[in-house]
Amino acid sequence: MTTSPLSALPLHSRAHDEAEAHDGEDQVQRAADLAALHRAADAGQAAAAWVRELAGRQSEEEHSRLLGRVAGAITQASSREIIPGSEGLLTEELRYTLAADVVLGASHTTGTLPELHPGERMPLIAVCALAAAFPSCVLGDLNRELEVLAAELEAATTASRAATAEMPAG
């Protein structure tokens, strides 16, 4: 009599079912987190592109350089600084670069304010504040919080572009 190959298969257990279910939930969560991370990065890139447009129209080189650094900081804070398992803090340099006084530009050296159209200052502050908040999402519900902040950053960028578009070229 031959031995059935079925006897060599591992026995199916309830613990095995639970482990597979848990692995499936972990994969779904990782996929949701990854999607939220991508949305945050995309929102940050769009906001940074707008800030680069602001930088490009400055007649004072100091204002242009500062806004260029702000654009880079927005990109970094909305992507590379969101590190699951970290303490969710920005470096001092990024915090300083994304501070609300960005609307003052390099006025301490130039004696002038950056050339911003009416309605652009508040969205610029909002974009910087939202970008600065992204890394702290790792301390809570990453994908839910990133989705909320990304949506708000997208709205602030849309508002900023609308304010820019309302002004005549020239």
Side-chain angles (χ1 to χ4, degrees):
M1 182 172 171
T2 60
T3 306
S4 168
L6 296 177
S7 63
L9 293 175
L11 293 176
H12 195 71
S13 70
R14 183 177 175 164
H16 180 73
D17 287 346
E18 290 173 1
E20 279 186 354
H22 184 67
D23 287 344
E25 289 170 8
D26 285 348
Q27 287 180 345
V28 168
Q29 183 63 45
R30 283 193 298 273
D33 288 350
L34 186 58
L37 287 164
H38 282 289
R39 182 173 183 193
D42 290 346
Q45 287 177 357
W50 172 69
V51 174
R52 282 188 197 92
E53 290 173 19
L54 296 180
R57 71 169 200 242
Q58 300 303 307
S59 58
E60 294 279 349
E61 184 61 31
E62 291 88 354
H63 291 311
S64 181
R65 273 197 306 271
L66 177 84
L67 288 168
R69 281 195 311 270
V70 168
I74 290 167
T75 300
Q76 186 174 344
S78 63
S79 59
R80 293 179 298 202
E81 293 297 312
I82 307 170
I83 305 167
S86 72
E87 294 180 11
L89 300 174
L90 283 176
T91 64
E92 184 177 344
E93 181 181 352
L94 283 175
R95 277 194 320 269
Y96 178 76
T97 302
L98 294 172
D101 67 351
V102 68
V103 298
L104 300 175
S107 60
H108 61 284
T109 59
T110 65
T112 63
L113 294 174
E115 297 166 26
L116 300 173
H117 298 315
E120 288 179 330
R121 290 187 197 289
M122 187 55 68
L124 180 58
I125 292 169
V127 161
C128 290
L130 288 162
F134 275 103
S136 67
C137 293
V138 301
L139 302 175
D141 182 349
L142 180 69
N143 91 27
R144 184 180 60 79
E145 292 175 15
L146 281 180
E147 286 291 333
V148 168
L149 289 179
E152 293 300 324
L153 185 55
E154 290 163 353
T157 302
T158 299
S160 64
R161 289 198 177 281
T164 299
E166 288 178 8
M167 296 308 297

